């Protein structure tokens, strides 16, 4: 088989890189996002076809078989996964990508003759392994195969320090000597470090860690590009590394936290460890019928969906309730906090799946001034994102986090499972205010009862 | 390619990466993360090269494992992102999205399906 001219190959790789940039650009806007993603997929296709025609390859049938196996496993899972389980699937795909990068680097080590190439090898090995193991733990947490609470034990920081020191030592030895055994040791140390990195992270912060590990995998892929001398891998990996870093910071900022605080907060006790203390201050609780009357005769209702709604799978019922109210002439909007759901933007996806039109999903900045004109703010399974303590109580763990100003609405209705505080483990004073009504129960069941009562009005 | 050229490309790619996501709305954070996640599945290219040059059976086995993992990342990543994004669409039949030339055929079909 005659191979493509190296210049043609370079041009095709350049085209693929441009497609990736256009993909990320397209994902910036809801109108172009889907097309952007398809452009990215097309870029990937161009790159994969190019590599078959530009490199002298043996074992082609086996490689094609492996590709078929990989697609055959991943595509149906990605097609069928429930939207609420999507975060863990993204974590899983990210992890296997990191693992693949680490394996590629390991196999290339014997061919790495320059010391600087071996630097790229050890970087890929370590970061890829951290990403793989970290993503696996994230997956386990989100899938609730293990506790979602931070796992900390005495000596964890010391252990982490020891592992990192050993990893640096092994990395230096591999760079100097190129030992394959030490490279395997480095891979193992990376896996341990990945587990230790994610264990102390609490449930609510896990999405930010997925984003961070996503950036890590990007960097590992970029480094593997340096190892193989493949410009496309360098560009694509660097793009993901850079954009992933920005995205991680944006997500953390939306929660009013720092990335370092999320990763190392549990070491210092300032994390989302959460308390389970139940308050005994008096609140006004109410029946579904009362809530239905409040909603049914309101001019304007703003629904604030949160994590509890996602967990209860109540997004379809919430959409139905919005529809029922709108058919009565009530204007209904959904106010989406940047970190509502299990991942930033996750709530938008869940509500979009429930056929809530994109136009009624309002972002925090857009809707916050409108709570003043709302008759009822209906808070479903959210707590910390509407807690005024974020503005008023300087010592509070969520102090500084931007919140939805539901307190400005004439009436506030909370649908809550119990009086238990949210992830941040702090009480929400808003629940004890005179304009607040509480309806206890599972978010979906409460919504169904309210929906039934609204229809009966 | 020499080291300096690679370094130049890397640094420029960092800035492009920063620039393309600097103003994205939080609405799209999840699909963007997922899309970026799919893009690093391009490590498949590296895995194919390594597998294609493997001579020892063990090396080939590990390389093929890398191909499987990378394919899962690449294909699964784009598919799941597409699934997320196909849900971003209007509901009301009387208020269709403005017919722009970039409206693709499948989109329109799904819109009608969703409104039945």
């Amino acid at each position: 088989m005659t191979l493509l001219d190296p210049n043609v190959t370079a041009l095709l790789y350049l085209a693929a890189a441009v497609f990736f940039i256009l993909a990320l650009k397209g994902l910036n806007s809801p109108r172009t996002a889907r097309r952007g993603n398809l452009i990215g997929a097309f870029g990937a296709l161009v790159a994969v076809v190019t590599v078959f025609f530009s490199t002298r390859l043996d074992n082609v049938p086996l490689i094609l078989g492996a590709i078929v196996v990989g697609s055959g496993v991943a595509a149906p899972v990605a097609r069928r996964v429930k939207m609420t389980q999507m975060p863990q699937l993204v974590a899983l795909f990210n992890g296997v990508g990191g693992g693949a990068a680490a394996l590629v680097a390991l196999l290339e080590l014997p061919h790495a003759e320059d010391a600087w190439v071996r630097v790229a090898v050890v970087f890929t090995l370590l970061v890829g392994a951290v990403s793989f193991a970290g993503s696996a733990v994230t997956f386990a947490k989100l899938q609730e195969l293990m506790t979602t609470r931070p796992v900390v034990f005495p000596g964890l920081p010391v252990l982490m320090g020891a592992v990192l020191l050993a990893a640096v030592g092994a990395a230096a030895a591999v760079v100097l000597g190129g030992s394959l055994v030490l490279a395997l040791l480095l891979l193992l140390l990376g896996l341990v470090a990945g587990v230790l990195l994610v264990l102390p992270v609490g449930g609510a912060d896990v999405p930010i860690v997925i984003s961070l590990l996503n950036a890590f995998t990007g960097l590992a892929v970029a480094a593997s590009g340096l190892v193989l001398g493949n410009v496309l891998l360098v560009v694509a990996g660097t793009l993901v590394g850079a954009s992933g870093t920005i995205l991680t910071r944006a997500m953390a900022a939306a929660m009013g936290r720092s990335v370092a605080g999320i990763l190392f907060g549990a070491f210092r006790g300032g994390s989302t460890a959460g308390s389970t203390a139940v308050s005994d201050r008096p609140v006004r609780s109410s029946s579904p019928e009362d809530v239905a009357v409040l909603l049914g005769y309101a001019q304007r209702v703003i629904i604030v969906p949160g994590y509890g709604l996602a967990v209860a799978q109540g997004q379809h019922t919430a959409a139905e309730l919005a529809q029922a109210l709108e058919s009565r002439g009530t204007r209904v909007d959904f106010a989406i906090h940047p970190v509502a759901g299990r991942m930033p933007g996750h709530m938008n996806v869940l509500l979009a799946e429930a056929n809530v039109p994109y136009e009624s999903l309002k972002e925090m900045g857009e809707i916050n001034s409108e709570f003043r004109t709302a008759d009822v703010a209906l808070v479903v399974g959210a707590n910390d994102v509407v807690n005024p303590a974020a503005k008023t109580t300087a010592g509070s763990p969520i102090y500084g986090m931007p919140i939805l100003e539901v307190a400005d609405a004439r009436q506030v209705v909370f649908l809550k499972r119990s009086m238990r505080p949210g992830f941040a483990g702090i009480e929400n004073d808003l629940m004890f205010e005179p304009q607040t009504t509480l309806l206890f129960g599972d978010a979906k069941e409460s919504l169904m009862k309210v929906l039934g009562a609204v229809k009966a009005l | 390619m020499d080291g300096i050229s690679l370094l130049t490309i890397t640094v420029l790619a960092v800035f492009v990466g920063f620039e393309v996501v600097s103003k994205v709305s939080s609405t799209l954070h999840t699909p963007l993360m997922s899309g970026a996640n799919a893009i690093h599945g391009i490590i498949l290219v590296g895995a194919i090269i390594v597998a294609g040059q493997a001579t020892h059976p063990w090396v080939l086995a590990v390389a093929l494992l890398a191909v499987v993992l990378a394919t899962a990342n690449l294909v699964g990543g784009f598919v799941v992102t597409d699934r997320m994004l196909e849900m971003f669409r209007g509901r009301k039949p009387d208020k269709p999205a403005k017919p722009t030339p970039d409206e693709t055929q499948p989109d329109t079909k799904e819109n009608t399906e969703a409104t039945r």
Side-chain angles (χ1 to χ4, degrees), chain B residues 4-80:
Chain B
I4 288 298
S5 305
L6 278 175
L7 182 67
T8 310
I9 291 169
T10 310
V11 171
L12 293 178
V14 167
F15 280 92
V16 174
F18 282 161
E19 207 50 45
V20 285
V21 297
S22 57
K23 286 183 285 286
V24 63
S25 85
S26 61
T27 311
L28 284 167
H29 275 172
T30 293
L32 182 67
M33 186 215 291
S34 181
N37 176 44
I39 288 174
H40 66 50
I42 199 63
I43 182 64
L44 176 58
V45 166
I48 290 172
I49 293 174
V50 174
Q53 291 167 350
T55 43
H56 194 281
W58 270 109
V59 174
L60 179 60
V62 175
L64 288 177
L65 175 63
V67 171
V68 172
L69 295 180
T71 312
N73 182 184
L74 189 72
V75 175
F78 280 118
V79 171
V80 83

Side-chain angles (χ1 to χ4, degrees), chain A residues 405-425:
Chain A
E405 312 273 1
V406 291
D408 290 346
R410 228 155 285 145
Q411 300 271 341
V412 181
V413 179
F414 274 92
L415 302 190
K416 273 185 72 62
R417 221 171 348 193
S418 65
M419 279 306 286
R420 233 171 241 206
F423 279 113

Side-chain angles (χ1 to χ4, degrees), chain A residues 84-92 134-149 198 202-210 307 311 341-343 346 423, chain B residues 33:
Chain A
T84 39
Q85 293 177 328
M86 201 213 26
Q88 48 265 52
L89 192 67
V90 174
L92 199 62
S135 299
V137 176
T138 325
F139 175 81
K141 284 194 178 206
L142 288 171
Q143 192 71 26
E144 288 172 22
L145 299 174
M146 59 177 287
T147 173
T148 57
R149 308 183 81 72
V198 181
D205 292 334
V206 165
I208 295 179
V209 174
I210 300 180
Y307 182 80
V311 171
R342 280 197 147 169
M343 277 209 278
H346 189 201
F423 279 113
Chain B
M33 186 215 291

Side-chain angles (χ1 to χ4, degrees), chain A residues 322-385:
Chain A
Q323 231 169 350
L325 290 173
E326 277 181 343
S327 66
R328 293 178 55 88
T330 308
R331 181 166 164 214
V332 183
D333 285 311
F334 286 84
I336 315 285
H337 191 273
V339 295
R342 280 197 147 169
M343 277 209 278
H346 189 201
M347 189 53 69
N348 302 71
V349 174
L350 291 175
L351 291 174
E353 186 195 24
N355 277 330
V356 176
Y358 184 75
E359 305 83 62
S360 3
L361 305 182
K362 296 281 164 59
E363 275 179 47
M364 185 167 63
E366 195 184 345
I367 194 95
N368 254 349
S369 58
E370 296 183 30
F371 277 106
R372 248 175 277 136
T373 62
D375 298 297
V376 184
L378 179 65
V379 183
V380 190
N383 188 3
D384 293 336
V385 297

Side-chain angles (χ1 to χ4, degrees), chain A residues 159-187:
Chain A
L159 183 60
M160 186 69 171
V163 168
L164 287 181
L165 263 182
V168 169
V174 173
V175 169
L176 295 176
S179 154
L180 200 57
V181 178
L182 283 175
L184 278 169
L185 175 69
L186 184 61
L187 193 69

